[in-house]
Amino acid sequence: MSGYPLLNAFWTMFLFFCLLLWIFLVVYVLMDIFRSRDIGGWGKAGWIILVIFLPLIGVLAYEIVHSDHFFGGRDGYPADVPAQGRHRGSGGSSDLAQLSDLHDRGVISDAEFERGKEKILQ
């Protein structure tokens, strides 16, 4: 162990964790590109190509252009919506199924069904 000093071991660990952090950031940017609703198909393809082939430039450019996704609005809600007001229920498809069941049984009207469906799908 005398051939590899302790400081070099710490430096290697630091570089390893920086590499893991970089990989996590690139994967997170790619996931954000895929789930973004405000970017069209060709836009997504362009961002993905840029992030894959020029990762440093692609990630930095994406974070600058779409900074609202990274700072406050990551989970699909605008940054000004408080965390307490963010409620998705038990899941979009199950909520929609319950709403459809209520509509089929005649418990709610067509207008109420449409309002509820828009609220769930947002």
Side-chain angles (χ1 to χ4, degrees):
M1 195 72 178
S2 63
Y4 199 69
L6 184 62
L7 191 57
N8 285 354
F10 287 141
W11 182 247
T12 303
M13 287 174 30
F14 175 75
L15 291 178
F16 176 73
F17 287 118
C18 286
L19 178 67
L20 286 178
L21 193 65
W22 173 250
I23 291 171
F24 174 77
L25 182 63
V26 170
V27 169
Y28 187 81
V29 166
L30 288 172
M31 286 175 24
D32 195 63
I33 291 170
F34 277 112
R35 72 178 179 178
S36 179
R37 294 183 181 181
D38 60 339
I39 303 174
W42 287 107
K44 288 181 182 183
W47 279 115
I48 290 169
I49 289 171
L50 186 64
V51 168
I52 289 175
F53 290 114
L54 297 171
L56 181 62
I57 295 170
V59 167
L60 290 176
Y62 186 80
E63 286 187 18
I64 291 169
V65 172
H66 295 281
S67 62
D68 57 330
H69 293 211
F70 284 88
F71 302 111
R74 292 182 191 177
D75 52 358
Y77 293 99
D80 58 346
V81 176
Q84 296 85 4
R86 299 176 181 177
H87 175 66
R88 290 185 180 232
S90 60
S93 60
S94 64
D95 288 345
L96 193 58
Q98 289 175 350
L99 191 66
S100 178
D101 182 48
L102 290 174
H103 182 256
D104 292 342
R105 291 188 298 165
V107 175
I108 59 174
S109 66
D110 292 336
E112 291 171 326
F113 174 74
E114 289 301 319
R115 277 194 306 262
K117 184 170 74 170
E118 287 176 5
K119 187 180 263 187
I120 291 171
L121 295 178
Q122 285 181 350

